[in-house]
Structure formats: structure tokens, C-alpha cells
Amino acid sequence: MSHFTLSQMAVTVPVSSDFSATRSVFKVSNLNVRDKSWAPVFTLDMKAKNYGSRRNHNVICMSVQQASVPKVNVSPLELENPTEPPLNLHKPKEPYTATIVSVERLVGPKAPGETCHIVINHDGNVPYWEGQSYGVIPPGENPKKPGSPHNVRLYSIASTRYGDFFDGKTASLCVRRAVYYDPETGKEDPSKNGVCSNFLCDSKPGDKIKITGPSGKIMLLPEDDPNATHIMIATGTGVAPYRGYLRRMFMESVPKFKFGGLAWLFLGVANSDSLLYDDEFTKYLNDYPNNFRYDRALSREEKNRNGGKMYVQDKIEEYSDEVFKLLDNGAHIYFCGLKGMMPGIQETLKRVAEERGESWEEKLSQLKKNKQWHVEVY
């Protein structure tokens, strides 16, 4: 990892020992922040002749470094014009062929498993809103349907509609590599590994990828009230849509949406090395202490109040009075991650409601009726 300081702007870029080769796919551009021309930054030059050949160099999109400036101007602002979200612009029978920009390992060496941040160039042809998903069709044929392509796999988009380069041409995915281990031998069985997640995590800049969508409306960020409260609960890669929300709230300068409410993120992962986008979220915490709260649940490093492992529902329980009061006052609450997260969370919320003399069934029904309850699990 090499670190370059450009005037008042710092950009971190992973390089091999031959930086000159990696630098050739970058071009220098100016970043406008609140109508001020700031220091030049490196951006990926999609038109560089040798771009596709740099298969052994990962290029990290700008992330937390850009959170260190007040707000980043985005374009094209025409992406704010539609009153309805784009839906299913590209269907499975006619997917859009996009290009991999970068693949970055997000987790540390002690994390169980590998999670990658993947930036995809759609050149503005597959627009989306925060909270939507892309479908990905991995190459090859479906073993259950010889001669047919693989089924579509859905992934929550982990960027705003402007993408990680703020130009409306890319989308980012947060993907955990699905690896199968034989329970008897304890060894990996590649034949049973996740086809799509391994394809994505093994991708190199310049590779082609077939995408469908965008799809989904349940996780769209309600923006009718810029001062609303949003309680976001995630396990693992379920944090993806929230990264998009938070960049829109705290990183990007969007004239139409000036967030002044409260965003509260609960993130559950195995250990410190498994935290995703932690630097980015911590930066928001420092810069917007009145508008952002961030609580982590590390199941293999922390204990809950009963001495057991600290899961995300245990962290929610610690703040249950506040959470319930916020919900009573109209807060939106979101859940995203593995579907196995929901029973424990529901049990905790039910127990807390009963302790407060409330019926959880009635409360849940009311939250759904008021469109405050948003769930996307897989």
C-alpha cells in the first residue's frame, strides 16, 4: 500500500513494486468541493489503452479519503430528476455487459472468510437508486440446465447512484466469497463453492460482467423528510445498502437532499478484522456526531450482558429504550443480511416490547402499516 498526498487531499492506492504500470491507468482531475477547486485526485481512466491489460493490479476506488473533505460534488445531477426508481431496465434474457473496474479485499487476515468490494463500470446505462440491487449472471452454463446460463444472483448495491467516482457511471458490490468445506474432511470442496461470488472475487480489472436490474423498492431510502431518523441493522455484507445511504447523507453534495436527521448503524460481524467500511463509518462519526451513531457487535470478541457472544440483537437490546422511542416518533428501521439474523432480532424486540407493557405483534403491524419497517434478507 502506497500513500500519496496531493496538496490537501490524500489518496491511498495499492500498488505492486512497479508503480509506473499502475499509474498508467490513472488520470489527474480536479475535485470540486462546495464550488472550490481542490487538489487533483487519481481517477481510473476508463479509456486508457493499457487499462484492460493491467490484470494484476487492483485499483481501490476513493472511499474514506474523500470523506475527509467537506462534501463532494456529484454529477450528473439529472439522476435526481426521476420521481420513480428505475426498475428492471435489463432483464435476464438481455443482460447488460459491464466492466470490472477494481476488486479490493475488505477484511483483515483474521476474518473468517473473504469479503471483497467490487466496482463495476456500467457507463451510465444501468442507473439505480440507493437501496436497490443488481443481478449478476456468472459465466458458464447452469449444471442443472445444460445449455442454459446460470441463474441470476442478486447483490445489494453498496454505492450511491453516483458510484464511487461520483460520475454516475459505476456501481459497487460488497461480496463475501462462498466457500464450502466438507464436514468430514474439513477440506474445501471447490465443486460446491458459490459460483457467482467466486467469479466476482476472482475478477480482474477489464473483465466483463453480465448484470440485470436494478431491482427492489423495499430498501429505498425515504427522502421526503430530510430530518428523519434511520436505524440500520446489518450482519456482514448486509451493510451494503447502508454504505450507499451514508455516502449520500454525509459524503456527497446533493442539492436536492440535505440530510439533517439521525442515522444509526448497528453492524454485526465476527471480529475486528471482519468490519466492513469501518474507516469510512468512523469518519462520519467524527465529522457528524449529532447526526450519526455507529455501534458494532463483534461476536467472537465481545460478550453480551449474559456472558454469551455479542450478536447484533444484543447490541440493539442495550439501546432498546432509545430505539423504541425513536420508532414511536416515526423512525425508519432497516434490516439487511443473512435471513438467520431475523429470528434472534425479532425475539429480542418482542421481549423488550413485553417488558414495556406493549404487544410486539401490534407494534410490528403498525410499523409495517406506516412503512417504517424495511427488511431485505437472503
Side-chain angles (χ1 to χ4, degrees):
M1 183 74 75
S2 291
H3 189 241
F4 305 94
T5 300
L6 302 175
S7 181
Q8 294 162 292
M9 185 78 164
V11 179
T12 302
V13 183
V15 298
S16 68
S17 56
D18 178 13
F19 172 63
S20 61
T22 303
R23 183 171 55 189
S24 63
V25 298
F26 285 88
K27 61 183 178 182
V28 174
S29 61
N30 286 326
L31 184 68
N32 282 330
V33 181
R34 289 184 178 168
D35 298 321
K36 295 179 181 177
S37 183
W38 279 49
V41 299
F42 286 128
T43 59
L44 190 66
D45 188 351
M46 301 294 184
K47 297 178 181 178
K49 291 180 180 178
N50 56 359
Y51 164 61
S53 65
R54 298 298 169 199
R55 301 178 63 86
N56 296 320
H57 298 277
N58 282 350
V59 179
I60 292 185
C61 55
M62 275 71 74
S63 55
V64 73
Q65 285 76 22
Q66 285 160 331
S68 65
V69 299
K71 287 268 178 127
V72 180
N73 281 354
V74 292
S75 66
L77 289 176
E78 288 76 17
L79 291 176
E80 302 294 326
N81 292 344
T83 55
E84 291 294 322
L87 285 170
N88 303 312
L89 303 177
H90 299 272
K91 296 180 169 59
K93 290 185 178 180
E94 295 181 350
Y96 179 79
T97 301
T99 304
I100 298 290
V101 176
S102 62
V103 179
E104 170 196 355
R105 180 185 167 100
L106 286 175
V107 295
K110 295 181 181 177
E114 180 181 22
T115 302
C116 296
H117 181 77
I118 297 157
V119 182
I120 299 166
N121 176 28
H122 59 79
D123 210 28
N125 292 310
V126 196
Y128 57 89
W129 283 8
E130 298 74 21
Q132 290 192 296
S133 299
Y134 270 174
V136 177
I137 303 175
E141 67 176 37
N142 189 333
K144 296 180 181 178
K145 297 179 182 178
S148 299
H150 283 287
N151 293 333
V152 173
R153 270 73 161 184
L154 291 178
Y155 293 93
S156 296
I157 298 172
S159 50
T160 74
R161 65 193 71 185
Y162 297 101
D164 285 358
F165 294 97
F166 311 108
D167 60 2
K169 293 183 178 180
T170 68
S172 300
L173 305 180
C174 179
V175 179
R176 174 164 176 159
R177 187 190 292 273
V179 180
Y180 178 83
Y181 292 94
D182 187 289
E184 293 184 5
T185 65
K187 294 182 178 180
E188 180 183 342
D189 183 351
S191 68
K192 296 182 179 179
N193 286 350
V195 174
C196 198
S197 65
N198 280 271
F199 159 67
L200 288 167
C201 291
D202 288 336
S203 294
K204 301 293 188 295
D207 285 355
K208 300 301 179 183
I209 174 175
K210 292 181 178 180
I211 57 177
T212 67
S215 62
K217 295 177 75 172
I218 190 69
M219 294 293 284
L220 292 175
L221 180 66
E223 296 187 358
D224 52 329
D225 179 6
N227 298 316
T229 294
H230 304 272
I231 303 168
M232 301 163 282
I233 298 159
T235 56
T237 58
V239 78
Y242 309 143
R243 179 181 185 257
Y245 296 174
L246 295 170
R247 287 171 78 92
R248 186 164 174 83
M249 292 171 178
F250 301 126
M251 184 182 288
E252 298 178 345
S253 177
V254 182
K256 182 184 173 184
F257 182 60
K258 296 188 182 298
F259 183 68
L262 172 66
W264 191 352
L265 173 62
F266 290 90
L267 175 58
V269 293
N271 56 23
S272 300
D273 269 19
S274 303
L275 287 167
L276 305 173
Y277 311 112
D278 188 63
D279 289 347
E280 204 164 310
F281 301 149
T282 301
K283 181 66 177 160
Y284 303 146
L285 196 61
N286 293 332
D287 288 352
Y288 300 93
N290 296 324
N291 302 97
F292 183 53
R293 295 177 66 172
Y294 176 32
D295 285 282
R296 314 162 184 84
L298 309 177
S299 62
R300 299 188 186 181
E301 293 180 4
E302 300 173 333
K303 300 292 184 184
N304 63 25
R305 64 184 183 181
N306 297 319
K309 290 184 176 182
M310 175 68 80
Y311 292 111
V312 72
Q313 61 263 29
D314 301 311
K315 188 61 69 172
I316 296 168
E317 189 170 10
E318 288 183 13
Y319 297 98
S320 57
D321 280 345
E322 282 185 87
V323 169
F324 270 67
K325 286 175 184 175
L326 290 169
L327 291 174
D328 289 342
N329 288 325
H332 291 271
I333 190 165
Y334 310 80
F335 303 88
C336 191
L338 294 173
K339 59 186 176 183
M341 72 187 271
M342 289 308 293
I345 290 173
Q346 293 261 37
E347 288 169 14
T348 298
L349 293 174
K350 182 177 181 179
R351 184 173 66 253
V352 171
E354 290 173 350
E355 290 171 356
R356 293 165 56 91
E358 300 179 51
S359 162
W360 173 242
E361 286 74 17
E362 289 180 14
K363 192 173 194 69
L364 178 59
S365 176
Q366 194 63 42
L367 291 171
K368 290 179 178 178
K369 183 179 178 181
N370 295 343
K371 298 183 178 179
Q372 295 171 251
W373 183 265
H374 312 261
V375 179
E376 185 171 86
V377 292
Y378 39 85

